[in-house]
Amino acid sequence: LAVVGALRRVGLFPLLAQRLVQVFHTTRGAVTALVGITLVGSMLLTNDTALLTFLPLSWFVLERTGQTKWTALTFILQNCAANLGGMLTPFGNPQNLYLFNHYNIPNGGLLSIFRLPPFLLSPALLLLCCLFLPREGLTAPRQETLPDKRRTAVYGVLFCVAVAMVLRGIPYWLGLLVIVMALLVLDRRALLGVDWGLLVTFAAFFTFSGNMARMEPVRTLFRQLLAHGTMPVAALTSQVISNVPAAILLSQFTDDYPALLVGVNIGGAGTLVASLASLITFREYTKHVKGQTGRFLALFSAVSFGFLAVLLAAMTFLTQ
């Protein structure tokens, strides 16, 4: 979060926005590119960080080009891309990071689990939704100042350090020390700008789920439910308590981590509370667009539940 904040503060986003408009010079092309960047970015940044990074970029592009009427659809498709794209890597989604360590899954384990749908199906669904956007031409003002190349390169190295920490290549304490010391020298405001509330929320998830797993009625209920299939139970539980708490809770009752991984990742689609990433998207939208909350929620529900239904049906068919 801190490193991505530093990259944002160095002035990289306006340049990216300009390049996007130059290369993908229509509304459909630019939004498709933004959704694609979010899909790929979630594999490297986690879905939450990808949205915190690329939703402001999307608003910057849409506002600069006078296309803010497409903000709701763009943000919703980016939300779906972040939730579904992040399923491929250990650090793509917070629940992956937890399950990756809880079950001590090998580094290549997630690739073997998600080599088939839903991962391959997700980009196809996103591309299909992007076809509803018009092919209207875009223009944007030129970026006058370029980002500091030296700092951008340093922040890129720090990002690689963060990835190496997750992949167990660098001890957490060493990576944390390097990143914090570097940012204290180069950009202290990036550390202060971290969404600490988001991190506290995740800590609360662990406490809540751990306490729930100790309650005997809850333990009895989930043992009975999981006997009918881990994947659908994980997806449906995520709709109520969010997919991170669902992953933490259900991991206490099953060793079938491939089905649990698929279930909580698919379960990120659906309700607004199914994934914390969706709440980030909703917060970002209401910050920029006023008075259209009802329209956003209706469109969000239609798109997100559509993704959930298609992916659940596909995975149920494949596992029969």
Side-chain angles (χ1 to χ4, degrees):
L1 285 172
V3 173
V4 170
L7 283 168
R8 188 189 300 119
R9 285 172 45 76
V10 84
L12 191 61
F13 282 8
L15 181 64
L16 284 174
Q18 179 186 311
R19 295 289 188 268
L20 273 171
V21 174
Q22 288 174 346
V23 176
F24 305 96
H25 47 79
T26 65
T27 303
R28 181 187 299 175
V31 171
T32 302
L34 288 164
V35 172
I37 289 172
T38 307
L39 181 78
V40 175
S42 64
M43 301 177 197
L44 304 174
L45 304 174
T46 77
N47 58 351
D48 304 314
T49 309
L51 289 171
L52 291 169
T53 302
F54 296 117
L55 289 177
L57 174 62
S58 295
W59 173 255
F60 191 93
V61 170
L62 294 172
E63 185 182 39
R64 283 289 187 95
T65 57
Q67 297 294 319
T68 55
K69 60 186 176 182
W70 299 109
T71 302
L73 181 59
T74 302
F75 277 24
I76 291 166
L77 292 179
Q78 284 183 280
N79 181 78
C80 292
N83 279 326
L84 300 173
M87 67 177 67
L88 196 63
T89 60
F91 39 80
N93 289 331
Q95 65 271 14
N96 286 7
L97 189 57
Y98 166 74
L99 295 173
F100 182 70
N101 286 283
H102 180 78
Y103 291 106
N104 198 27
I105 302 172
N107 282 340
L110 295 185
L111 288 174
S112 63
I113 293 169
F114 290 116
R115 65 184 183 274
L116 293 174
F119 178 75
L120 295 180
L121 184 57
S122 302
L125 292 174
L126 290 167
L127 182 59
L128 181 64
C129 291
C130 288
L131 294 178
F132 287 95
L133 291 154
R135 301 187 65 180
E136 186 176 346
L138 299 179
T139 56
R142 289 188 60 82
Q143 172 69 9
E144 299 298 333
T145 59
L146 297 176
D148 187 315
K149 292 183 180 180
R150 184 174 299 177
R151 289 198 176 204
T152 303
V154 172
Y155 297 152
V157 171
L158 293 180
F159 175 76
C160 292
V161 170
V163 172
M165 289 163 60
V166 176
L167 293 178
R168 306 170 183 139
I170 297 176
Y172 272 99
W173 68 267
L174 179 59
L176 182 64
L177 181 64
V178 169
I179 290 173
V180 171
M181 293 302 294
L183 290 179
L184 281 174
V185 174
L186 296 172
D187 191 351
R188 296 184 182 183
R189 292 179 64 184
L191 290 170
L192 296 174
V194 168
D195 192 341
W196 296 105
L198 181 66
L199 299 182
V200 170
T201 301
F202 280 119
F205 279 167
F206 280 87
T207 304
F208 166 78
S209 300
N211 289 338
M212 290 287 289
R214 293 185 181 93
M215 299 171 63
E216 191 56 39
V218 174
R219 297 174 67 87
T220 302
L221 172 65
F222 279 105
R223 286 196 191 101
Q224 293 174 346
L225 290 174
L226 289 169
H228 300 287
T230 301
M231 190 268 291
V233 171
L236 295 175
T237 303
S238 299
Q239 303 305 303
V240 181
I241 64 171
S242 190
N243 53 4
V244 175
I248 300 168
L249 179 63
L250 297 178
S251 66
Q252 311 301 313
F253 307 109
T254 180
D255 292 325
D256 187 6
Y257 70 81
L260 180 56
L261 271 164
V262 173
V264 293
N265 277 282
I266 289 176
T271 65
L272 192 64
V273 299
S275 170
L276 187 61
S278 301
L279 296 176
I280 292 172
T281 301
F282 179 69
R283 183 183 66 181
E284 193 70 23
Y285 178 80
T286 54
K287 183 169 73 175
H288 294 296
V289 182
K290 308 298 181 183
Q292 297 190 35
T293 303
R295 176 178 175 273
F296 176 86
L297 291 175
L299 184 59
F300 178 92
S301 298
V303 174
S304 193
F305 275 108
F307 273 79
L308 178 64
V310 171
L311 293 172
L312 263 180
M315 290 308 298
T316 301
F317 173 78
L318 289 171
T319 54
Q320 285 181 345

